[in-house]
């Protein structure tokens, strides 16, 4: 067992802040990085040299195994600024749990709580001035880990680098989505790594997504690899539907266990709304839209938050859902989430992780 001394975090302040160059009224997503980053190295079976340093580039061997064999995972978390100036990170403990599940599946070392959680707290507190005050904006937090062993050969790396970077962001999507049901290409298969947040899952989605965008769609609805019969998730978020008065979301080992989705389902249960996490067929969705039984559909994720789906394309047909502004649950839960994350209402779930 490592001692607390091993996990002490050295802080090297950035003496040349770039915050004065940032237009916080016009924030593109993921383009501007904050002043500092957390870095920790794993070697010889232990984590070492944990530090918060000025944001900078890495020196990397061309033989680093992540570049060749894809041992790379990441997370997405957001921090919000309360009206009284306090800063809160939304449910980072759940991201930590998911990060370590991804690490286990890709044969990578788990990151201890003292590094992940304490590191987040110190990093965000140090760069608290980078957390936007404007509602609808937040500080996006990107923990990631990749293999660094400079050797070729298919085996788990002996060394890794864990890093956390942050950036002030606005909305990921700024309009309702037109999505296409994907029936040719596959995102994930049973027994694979679909449940993990690894880089490869996203790389293989890019080409099919571009093809869909050329047809006028914003994103895909991925379906199962075997039959393309069951709905899985969108390219950047989980999918949730209001079907016959029940909030339904697909769930299997090919679907990412989304923190935002889980939070929305928990709020619905708290409000007494029936929820189900189960297999959802494409046909059930299409038939439900035709019959008027699917009254809401949206994407849920850290980046997307809650983004309504306006139209769904399938086999050359376009199916239109009720206008987003008329959707009772979506609008209510998004308002509630915003009030909760910005500290405007009491947090009955204990989801806000205050950093100061």
């Amino acid at each position: 067992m490592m001692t607390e001394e091993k996990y002490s975090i050295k802080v090297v302040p950035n003496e040349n802040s770039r915050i004065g160059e940032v237009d916080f009224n016009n924030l593109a997503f993921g383009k501007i990085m904050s002043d500092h980053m957390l870095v920790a190295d794993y070697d010889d079976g232990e984590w070492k040299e944990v530090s918060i340093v000025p944001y900078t580039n890495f020196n990397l061997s061309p033989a680093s195994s992540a570049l060749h064999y894809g041992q790379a995972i990441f997370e997405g978390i957001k921090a919000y600024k309360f009206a009284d100036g306090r800063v809160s990170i939304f449910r980072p403990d759940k991201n930590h749990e998911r990060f370590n599940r991804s690490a286990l599946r890709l044969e990578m070392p788990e990151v201890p709580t003292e590094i992940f959680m304490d590191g987040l707290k110190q990093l965000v507190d140090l760069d608290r001035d980078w957390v936007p005050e404007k509602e609808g904006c937040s500080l996006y937090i990107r923990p990631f880990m990749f293999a660094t062993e400079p050797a070729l050969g298919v085996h788990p790396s002996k060394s890794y680098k864990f890093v956390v970077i942050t950036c002030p962001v606005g909305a990921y999507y700024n309009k309702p989505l037109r999505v296409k049901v994907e029936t040719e290409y596959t995102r994930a298969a049973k027994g694979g790594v679909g449940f993990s947040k690894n880089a490869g899952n996203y790389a293989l989605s890019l080409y099919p997504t571009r093809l869909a965008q050329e047809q006028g769609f914003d994103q895909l609805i991925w379906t199962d690899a075997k039959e393309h019969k069951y709905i899985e998730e969108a390219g950047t978020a989980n999918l949730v539907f209001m079907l016959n008065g029940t909030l339904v979301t697909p769930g299997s080992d090919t679907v990412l266990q989304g923190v935002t989705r889980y939070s929305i389902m928990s709020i619905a249960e708290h409000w007494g709304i029936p929820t189900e996490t189960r297999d959802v067929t494409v046909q059930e969705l299409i038939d439900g839209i035709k019959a008027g039984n699917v009254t809401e559909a949206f994407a849920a994720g850290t980046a997307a938050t809650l983004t309504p789906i306006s139209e769904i394309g399938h086999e050359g047909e376009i199916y239109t859902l009720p206008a987003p502004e008329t959707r009772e649950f979506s609008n209510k839960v998004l308002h509630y989430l915003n009030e909760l994350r910005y500290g405007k209402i009491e947090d009955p779930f204990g989801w806000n992780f205050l950093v100061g």
Side-chain angles (χ1 to χ4, degrees):
M1 181 74 127
M2 294 184 186
T3 64
E4 190 174 342
E5 180 98 13
K6 280 264 191 180
Y7 295 129
S8 62
I9 301 174
K10 178 183 178 181
V11 178
V12 181
N14 189 333
E15 302 295 340
N16 298 292
S17 176
R18 294 168 288 100
I19 197 168
E21 304 168 10
V22 180
D23 181 358
F24 280 89
N25 292 314
N26 294 285
L27 292 171
F29 197 97
K31 300 290 187 181
I32 303 164
M33 302 302 151
S34 309
D35 282 332
H36 298 89
M37 63 183 188
L38 174 74
V39 182
D41 291 307
Y42 182 90
D43 200 9
D44 296 327
E46 64 177 357
W47 289 100
K48 56 186 70 174
E49 298 178 11
V50 187
S51 58
I52 294 174
V53 298
Y55 181 90
T56 189
N57 295 333
F58 295 126
N59 289 319
L60 200 62
S61 166
S64 293
S65 50
L67 302 176
H68 302 272
Y69 308 116
Q71 273 188 297
I73 61 175
F74 67 96
E75 273 299 327
I77 312 172
K78 282 182 177 177
Y80 300 84
K81 184 164 286 185
F82 290 1
D84 62 9
R86 290 182 297 165
V87 172
S88 172
I89 306 173
F90 189 70
R91 306 199 74 179
D93 55 322
K94 291 299 179 184
N95 294 92
H96 180 217
E97 291 172 9
R98 189 172 65 182
F99 189 86
N100 280 340
R101 286 198 299 271
S102 297
L104 179 65
R105 181 60 180 86
L106 270 69
E107 196 59 20
M108 303 170 80
E110 294 185 0
V111 176
T113 299
E114 293 88 343
I115 295 177
F116 194 101
M117 296 294 288
D118 293 352
L120 283 188
K121 187 173 184 177
Q122 290 190 47
L123 176 65
V124 172
D125 196 28
L126 183 62
D127 277 344
R128 60 186 303 110
D129 290 342
W130 286 82
V131 184
E133 297 180 2
K134 183 179 178 182
E135 188 162 328
C137 298
S138 57
L139 186 74
Y140 187 78
I141 305 167
R142 170 54 58 87
F144 61 102
M145 178 165 59
F146 60 95
T148 57
E149 183 182 357
L152 303 182
V154 183
H155 62 267
S157 176
K158 294 179 181 178
S159 60
Y160 299 86
K161 189 176 288 290
F162 171 68
V163 187
V164 184
I165 58 177
T166 68
C167 53
V169 298
Y172 192 84
Y173 294 114
N174 54 21
K175 63 180 180 65
L177 302 177
R178 299 185 76 243
V179 297
K180 175 190 173 185
V181 177
E182 180 56 57
T183 57
E184 179 179 355
Y185 297 99
T186 298
R187 172 189 169 271
K190 292 282 187 181
V193 294
F195 69 90
S196 68
K197 205 164 177 66
N198 70 86
N201 281 350
Y202 296 82
L204 59 80
S205 74
L206 300 178
Y207 176 67
T209 301
R210 179 174 65 81
L211 296 181
Q213 289 170 344
E214 289 174 353
Q215 298 171 27
F217 297 98
D218 301 300
Q219 265 296 344
L220 294 172
I221 289 181
W222 291 103
T223 53
D224 68 288
K226 185 177 181 180
E227 301 176 88
H228 294 295
K229 176 181 178 181
Y230 297 98
I231 290 171
E232 295 191 337
E233 63 179 65
T236 55
N238 292 128
L239 294 166
V240 185
F241 310 101
M242 186 64 79
L243 177 58
N244 289 318
T246 297
L247 199 64
V248 179
T249 187
S252 73
D253 68 353
T254 57
V255 175
L256 187 72
Q257 303 301 304
V259 177
T260 303
R261 178 191 69 162
Y262 181 74
S263 301
I264 290 171
M265 301 296 280
S266 296
I267 292 169
E269 292 169 2
H270 182 67
W271 289 344
I273 296 171
T275 67
E276 294 178 354
T277 300
R278 61 169 174 83
D279 290 340
V280 180
T281 66
V282 175
Q283 195 60 53
E284 179 185 13
L285 177 63
I286 299 304
D287 289 346
I289 295 173
K290 287 180 178 179
N293 297 326
V294 177
T295 54
E296 306 193 29
F298 55 87
T302 298
T305 305
L306 188 158
T307 304
I309 294 171
S310 58
E311 294 181 322
I312 296 175
H314 179 55
E315 295 182 342
E317 297 290 330
I318 301 296
Y319 301 91
T320 302
L321 289 120
E325 60 270 19
T326 68
R327 301 181 191 180
E328 183 179 351
F329 176 77
S330 299
N331 292 317
K332 181 181 177 182
V333 78
L334 179 58
H335 176 74
Y336 183 83
L337 265 176
N338 283 336
E339 295 282 287
L340 183 68
R341 294 179 302 187
Y342 288 103
K344 295 182 178 180
I345 59 174
E346 183 183 353
D347 175 12
F349 307 101
W351 289 346
N352 288 324
F353 180 71
L354 293 170
V355 302

